[in-house]
Amino acid sequence: DQQVKQNSPSLSVQEGRISILNCDYTNSMFDYFLWYKKYPAEGPTFLISISSIKDKNEDGRFTVFLNKSAKHLSLHIVPSQPGDSAVYFCAAMRTSYGKLTFGQGTILTVHP
Amino acid sequence: DAMVIQNPRYQVTQFGKPVTLSCSQTLNHNVMYWYQQKSSQAPKLLFHYYDKDFNNEADTPDNFQSRRPNTSFCFLDIRSPGLGDAAMYLCATSPIGGGYEQYFGPGTRLTVT
């Protein structure tokens, strides 16, 4: 039973354009959501997060949107850069439990 | 720089031969986690330590055990590795009361022959 799903295994985007990565979840008890980025041969690195009391959080080129009614969140990267090419994991948690549940990841490739 | 370190980065073991993976951290975080990640799958939590308190996930096989002798170190022991245990093993830490992010090490790639 996969509670966090990233339905697009890969995404290819031109440099300078917007990248939109999507994530869906099924557990309505999740109240905190995170995005991680992973380069080959490295561990996942925290990118940005959002609490369920918000619908948007922005940090530089990265913005996360949360639609609680649809149980959907997305990560927008604008403008995309070749260095953004990596695997992006969506993760969710019930803060009272403190455990992360991850999606399977989306491979983002940004072409020069 | 404060960080999470995993050794070795690559480990090859034989079917049924016990193996230990190690994780150390200089972040002084109270909570340490072990995840298993198989190819193209989501990282899966095996267990975590909340200070010295060990918390096992319900579906973690008995073949997997862990030790945390002090705040800085945590070990993953696989008593009798099977071919299905070949995976990337990720260690992560987080502080208590310091936010919900977890900080990951680079992982150990385990191969079982």
Side-chain angles (χ1 to χ4, degrees):
Chain A
D1 174 29
Q2 198 161 354
Q3 298 186 63
V4 178
K5 291 184 181 179
Q6 295 175 253
N7 291 316
S8 297
S10 63
L11 175 68
S12 183
V13 171
Q14 200 73 28
E15 180 179 8
R17 303 286 203 129
I18 184 171
S19 295
I20 300 176
L21 297 109
N22 294 302
C23 178
D24 297 296
Y25 62 96
T26 57
N27 190 339
S28 59
M29 300 301 290
F30 288 143
D31 57 358
Y32 199 79
F33 304 88
L34 307 90
W35 284 95
Y36 281 81
K37 180 168 75 171
K38 186 181 183 303
Y39 292 120
E42 295 183 14
T45 303
F46 169 72
L47 195 56
I48 192 169
S49 62
I50 188 167
S51 165
S52 60
I53 61 173
K54 295 186 175 182
D55 55 17
K56 177 183 174 181
N57 187 27
E58 193 171 351
D59 183 2
R61 297 185 297 114
F62 302 91
T63 303
V64 56
F65 295 92
L66 175 63
N67 183 333
K68 279 188 297 184
S69 60
K71 295 191 180 70
H72 177 83
L73 65 155
S74 60
L75 174 67
H76 293 211
I77 306 174
V78 182
S80 301
Q81 299 173 353
D84 295 329
S85 298
V87 180
Y88 288 78
F89 289 97
C90 167
M93 72 157 49
R94 288 177 66 174
T95 52
S96 56
Y97 281 11
K99 296 190 298 186
L100 287 176
T101 300
F102 283 88
Q104 342 62 311
T106 296
I107 301 169
L108 173 66
T109 304
V110 181
H111 298 284
Chain B
D1 282 343
M3 55 199 308
V4 181
I5 301 161
Q6 289 188 247
N7 285 307
R9 296 292 306 275
Y10 301 90
Q11 175 74 58
V12 180
T13 191
Q14 292 177 335
F15 182 94
K17 185 174 181 182
V19 66
T20 295
L21 310 181
S22 73
C23 176
S24 64
Q25 53 126 343
T26 60
L27 298 161
N28 204 32
H29 286 170
N30 308 86
V31 192
M32 294 187 78
Y33 309 81
W34 278 105
Y35 289 87
Q36 178 192 63
Q37 185 185 16
K38 296 188 176 179
S39 183
S40 302
Q41 295 184 19
K44 178 180 176 297
L45 182 65
L46 295 173
F47 25 60
H48 73 280
Y49 278 92
Y50 192 94
D51 280 328
K52 292 184 178 180
D53 293 333
F54 177 70
N55 298 272
N56 200 27
E57 292 301 295
D59 56 354
T60 298
D62 293 339
N63 199 23
F64 290 83
Q65 297 182 340
S66 185
R67 297 170 282 137
R68 189 179 185 186
N70 54 52
T71 301
S72 300
F73 286 87
C74 195
F75 299 98
L76 170 62
D77 300 307
I78 308 176
R79 290 191 297 182
S80 181
L83 297 179
D85 297 327
M88 175 71 81
Y89 290 89
L90 295 164
C91 173
T93 72
S94 66
I96 296 174
Y100 301 114
E101 300 87 45
Q102 294 181 13
Y103 299 82
F104 284 82
T108 294
R109 170 74 64 187
L110 178 68
T111 300
V112 182
T113 60

